[in-house]
Amino acid sequence: MQSYYIVPTIADRAWQCLAKYALEPAHEATFHARSYGFRTGRSAHDAQQFVFVNLNSRAKGIDKRVIELDIEKCFDRISHTTIMENLIAPKGIKIGIFRCLKAGVNPHFPEQGTCQGGVVSPLLANIALNGIESIHRHHIQPGYKITNKTSEKHINYPSVRYADDMVIILRPQDDANEILGRIDEFLAARGMKISEKKTKITAATDGFDFLGWNFKVKSNGKYICTPSEENFKKFREKVKNIVNCSNYGSSVKALKLAPIVRGWRNYHKFCDMSGSRFSLWFLNHRTFTVFNKEPKNTLHTSVKLVEKAFPTVPYSLASHIMVKGNKSVYDGDLIYWSERNSKLYDGSTSKALKKQNHTCGHCGLKMTSSERVHLHHIDGNHDNWKPKNLLAIHESCHDYLHMGKRVKP
């Protein structure tokens, strides 16, 4: 069977990026609180923390089940009609989005699908799937039913969605088949359907995979989260391919390994990373053996290179601070977002931000999640890490400060 790929050009991507900046603020105000994928100010760690809140011992997670929902070919089957009906935009942008959807369309499905690799595609998918999180809900008080007079603060939505990946947490009395039936109706109206092969109903005590993590409730009721088997396997393959490559020396291998290991450990820093497997003891040992075989390396230099290749990142199970309710980076609450952005940093950066009341030390504006925070050394000495010598500033402000100090070749 012939496959079709709708790949936008550079000019198309540039226009889609501009359209995304125009569309995102309006749609962020309408998106559900339990949607975390491809949204500014939200991350996979928020979804991870939500699962913890619903499966820990206080929430009686040991008695709960989980629907691992998989939407069959989500980005290829989204109805164009649904997207255009729910799009909040002026006529000019709507026409542009319509043309993006129709450009290079699959002849077998002329009214479905978004362009692969398109900048605006994740936003359009969120627009089409918005509301699926509200299908399963219940009253926060056991035994109470939801009526038209029930306040929104008394309703619990035990579902979490990250783009097209979704997990629905069920109580013992919830009917899984009835919930799946309503979800199927919701998706059918949007040109999509549930993948019967991949959608599973799992007991929380058996464990399930979501966003590269394995969530499980032990027999004693204790919640545990670790990197999933598939995620760890892919990571290990990446490391092995670099370590066993004969094209590089040990120093180059260490430089290539460091960002991969640091990125993997940062992603899983809210998991239980104890034990020899996830502490990467075996990969450390194998890397040391390979490095130490090089004639130019001594025992001491090999150890130093391994430490450089495997940087440590502190971990703490379920300690991420989840984004508050329906908060959006476009709601104008700069105080909340600047303080939240500060909590995402640790060490010297976090201390400097608190000292400066979450404002930039150069321009005086609040620190929002739209730009990274850099530490500036006031005296120019990067070995001087005294608190008085450190200033937390915007990345752009840091570039501006050092603009005139760069050495021209």
Side-chain angles (χ1 to χ4, degrees):
M1 183 179 175
Q2 188 175 3
S3 59
Y4 295 85
Y5 296 97
I6 311 162
V7 182
T9 63
I10 298 297
D12 292 333
R13 289 173 192 268
W15 187 90
Q16 286 184 27
C17 188
L18 287 172
K20 178 178 176 287
Y21 286 140
L23 294 169
E24 201 170 41
H27 285 283
E28 276 290 334
T30 64
F31 285 156
H32 199 277
R34 298 292 169 248
S35 168
Y36 298 104
F38 301 106
R39 293 182 61 187
T40 309
R42 291 168 178 248
S43 66
H45 291 136
D46 292 308
Q48 180 191 29
Q49 188 67 17
F50 179 80
V51 175
F52 163 73
V53 169
N54 283 270
L55 290 183
N56 61 28
S57 55
R58 289 183 181 179
K60 298 181 180 178
I62 194 169
D63 300 324
K64 294 184 178 180
R65 294 167 296 151
V66 169
I67 298 176
E68 299 174 63
L69 188 70
D70 186 87
I71 302 169
E72 190 174 330
K73 296 180 180 179
C74 175
F75 287 90
D76 296 332
R77 296 289 182 268
I78 296 174
S79 168
H80 294 171
T81 307
T82 302
I83 292 172
M84 297 310 298
E85 285 177 354
N86 292 284
L87 202 63
I88 305 169
K91 186 179 179 181
I93 294 180
K94 277 194 172 184
I95 292 170
I97 293 293
F98 183 76
R99 287 173 179 171
C100 286
L101 292 172
K102 294 298 180 184
V105 73
N106 187 336
H108 299 300
F109 302 96
E111 300 296 326
Q112 292 177 305
T114 59
C115 47
Q116 295 199 14
V119 180
V120 81
S121 292
L123 176 62
L124 297 179
N126 275 335
I127 292 169
L129 291 171
N130 187 40
I132 195 172
E133 306 90 351
S134 304
I135 290 175
H136 176 48
R137 58 181 190 166
H138 59 79
H139 204 287
I140 59 171
Q141 295 294 336
Y144 284 71
K145 290 186 178 180
I146 297 173
T147 63
N148 294 332
K149 295 181 180 180
T150 306
S151 174
E152 191 69 22
K153 65 180 181 181
H154 294 135
I155 301 174
N156 185 29
Y157 298 94
S159 308
V160 57
R161 181 174 68 83
Y162 192 94
D164 59 334
D165 291 331
M166 189 172 177
V167 162
I168 302 162
I169 300 166
L170 307 176
R171 300 170 299 169
Q173 64 267 35
D174 291 330
D175 187 351
N177 293 324
E178 188 257 336
I179 292 166
L180 284 171
R182 282 189 283 151
I183 291 172
D184 212 16
E185 289 176 14
F186 178 91
L187 293 175
R190 288 154 176 80
M192 296 172 279
K193 64 177 182 178
I194 295 172
S195 173
E196 294 181 2
K197 291 182 180 178
K198 295 182 180 179
T199 299
K200 296 180 287 183
I201 301 170
T202 314
T205 50
D206 294 334
F208 63 95
D209 290 349
F210 182 52
L211 300 178
W213 295 301
N214 179 262
F215 300 90
K216 189 176 181 180
V217 179
K218 293 184 176 181
S219 56
N220 60 358
K222 186 181 178 182
Y223 162 92
I224 189 168
C225 176
T226 56
S228 67
E229 188 73 32
E230 186 181 355
N231 180 277
F232 182 72
K233 188 177 178 181
K234 287 180 180 178
F235 166 73
R236 188 175 57 189
E237 283 299 314
K238 281 183 182 179
V239 173
K240 281 187 175 181
N241 288 337
I242 294 172
V243 172
N244 297 330
C245 183
S246 58
N247 295 338
Y248 313 121
S250 56
S251 56
V252 177
K253 287 179 182 178
L255 287 171
K256 286 181 174 291
L257 284 171
I260 295 171
V261 174
R262 188 184 293 109
W264 185 80
R265 281 178 162 163
N266 269 320
Y267 186 72
H268 299 295
K269 65 182 177 181
F270 300 115
C271 298
D272 182 7
M273 301 293 283
S274 59
S276 59
R277 188 182 196 191
F278 298 129
S279 66
L280 309 181
W281 187 90
F282 293 103
L283 285 174
N284 266 269
H285 185 68
R286 168 63 184 163
T287 306
F288 171 78
T289 305
V290 173
F291 285 5
N292 205 38
K293 283 181 180 179
E294 292 190 13
K296 62 179 181 180
N297 286 340
T298 63
L299 182 69
H300 177 72
T301 56
S302 297
V303 169
K304 287 291 182 185
L305 284 170
V306 170
E307 287 176 358
K308 188 178 179 181
F310 290 86
T312 57
V313 174
Y315 67 89
S316 180
L317 181 64
S319 61
H320 177 73
I321 299 167
M322 195 163 57
V323 66
K324 188 178 177 181
N326 282 309
K327 296 296 291 182
S328 166
V329 292
Y330 303 106
D331 61 10
D333 192 352
L334 289 177
I335 294 173
Y336 170 80
W337 287 105
S338 59
E339 288 182 359
R340 173 172 170 76
N341 192 36
S342 303
K343 290 173 183 175
L344 299 179
Y345 292 91
D346 51 19
S348 301
T349 309
S350 177
K351 290 176 183 177
L353 284 167
K354 287 177 183 176
K355 182 182 174 183
Q356 295 166 207
N357 196 24
H358 315 289
T359 57
C360 176
H362 178 70
C363 66
L365 297 175
K366 288 287 185 182
M367 297 287 193
T368 59
S369 56
S370 58
E371 192 171 359
R372 290 178 62 188
V373 177
H374 280 201
L375 267 184
H376 173 63
H377 293 75
I378 297 169
D379 63 357
N381 181 10
H382 286 239
D383 293 325
N384 183 3
W385 285 85
K386 292 180 179 179
K388 290 182 179 180
N389 190 47
L390 300 176
L391 200 65
I393 58 176
H394 290 115
E395 184 178 16
S396 56
C397 292
H398 203 199
D399 290 340
Y400 180 78
L401 284 171
H402 289 280
M403 199 178 291
K405 299 176 184 178
R406 290 174 184 167
V407 179
K408 293 182 181 180

